[in-house]
């Protein structure tokens, strides 16, 4: 299973390490031909405006949309979640996106003072709580009916799945807990 990590900006190496630990072969994806060679893709955290602009500049928005529509598994963390969201609400937009995931998000929603925090989440299908790291995270304000909520924080979704798409507002690649990446690799194997 060859899983790409979109390597335009953001925490690429951490995802690659977590994917390898989950039994996948991780490769960096910067160009269309590299995208064509992977079975699944992670869109990492970083700065969604920057990653979006680079996706546009490198002509990756169209090819990525086509791969998603044809069933490729994609996991977006934090900025990656924003880039997959159907709608961005609030003051900060993210104009270049692949709006395939039926959620509405708000960038940097968790406020200035507590813009980074850690907490334990109960995740559907996991026996033990998951320690989750949030860094200037987006909130998920609404989800469509095809979206399954896998975890919530203070009553709002923070981890969701819709068919071949997985997204979290937190960063599992920042911890040694490999369960989220294993879940994604399993999803990729079935898609
Ligand atoms: N605040 C960033 C954004 O809105 C996301 C932060 C992250 O990916 N850790 O793009």
């Amino acid at each position: 299973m060859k899983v790409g990590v979109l390597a335009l900006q953001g925490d690429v190496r951490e995802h690659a390490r977590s994917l390898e630990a989950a039994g996948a072969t991780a490769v960096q994806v910067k160009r269309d031909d590299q995208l064509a060679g992977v079975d699944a893709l992670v869109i990492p955290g970083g700065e969604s405006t920057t990653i979006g602009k680079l996706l546009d500049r490198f002509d990756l928005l169209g090819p990525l949309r086509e791969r998603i529509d044809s069933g490729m598994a994609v996991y977006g963390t934090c900025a990656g979640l924003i880039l997959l969201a159907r709608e961005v609400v609030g003051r900060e937009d993210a104009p270049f996106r692949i709006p395939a995931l039926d959620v509405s998000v708000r960038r940097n929603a968790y406020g200035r003072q507590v813009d980074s925090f850690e907490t334990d989440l109960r995740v559907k299908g996991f026996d033990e709580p998951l320690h989750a790291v949030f860094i200037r995270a987006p909130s998920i304000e609404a989800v469509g009916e095809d979206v399954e909520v896998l975890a919530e924080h203070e009553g709002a979704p923070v981890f969701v799945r819709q068919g071949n798409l997985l997204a979290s507002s937190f960063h599992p690649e920042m911890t040694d807990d490999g369960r989220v990446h294993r879940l994604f690799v399993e999803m990729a194997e079935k898609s």
Side-chain angles (χ1 to χ4, degrees), residues 9-72:
Q9 191 249 354
D11 55 345
V12 176
R13 252 189 307 170
E14 292 81 358
H15 273 294
R17 188 185 49 101
S18 301
L19 288 166
E20 296 269 343
T25 303
V27 294
Q28 296 201 3
V29 169
K30 292 185 180 165
R31 297 187 314 263
D32 191 13
D33 59 315
Q34 294 168 328
L35 178 63
V38 297
D39 304 305
L41 185 75
V42 170
I43 305 179
E47 220 281 318
S48 52
T49 305
T50 305
I51 300 176
K53 275 187 194 153
L54 293 170
L55 278 169
D56 178 56
R57 187 172 313 157
F58 296 131
D59 290 323
L60 282 167
L61 288 167
L64 193 44
R65 178 81 214 209
E66 277 166 32
R67 289 296 309 271
I68 289 175
D69 289 347
S70 62
M72 179 176 72

Side-chain angles (χ1 to χ4, degrees), residues 9-11 43-51 77-83 92-94 106-109 115-116 133-138 168-171 173-174:
Q9 191 249 354
D11 55 345
I43 305 179
E47 220 281 318
S48 52
T49 305
T50 305
I51 300 176
T77 54
C78 203
L81 156 66
I82 297 165
L83 289 162
E92 295 171 280
D93 195 8
R106 183 183 300 272
R107 293 179 64 183
N108 300 313
D115 57 9
S116 298
V133 179
F134 292 76
I135 304 166
R136 293 180 56 72
S168 62
S169 40
F170 57 89
H171 289 267
E173 75 286 3
M174 301 271 175

Side-chain angles (χ1 to χ4, degrees), residues 48-49 78-99 101-109 138-142:
S48 52
T49 305
C78 203
L81 156 66
I82 297 165
L83 289 162
L84 290 172
R86 183 182 57 75
E87 184 183 41
V88 178
V89 295
R91 262 187 311 129
E92 295 171 280
D93 195 8
F96 297 108
R97 304 197 305 283
I98 315 101
L101 180 66
D102 192 7
V103 299
S104 181
V105 300
R106 183 183 300 272
R107 293 179 64 183
N108 300 313
S139 61
I140 299 176
E141 310 255 315

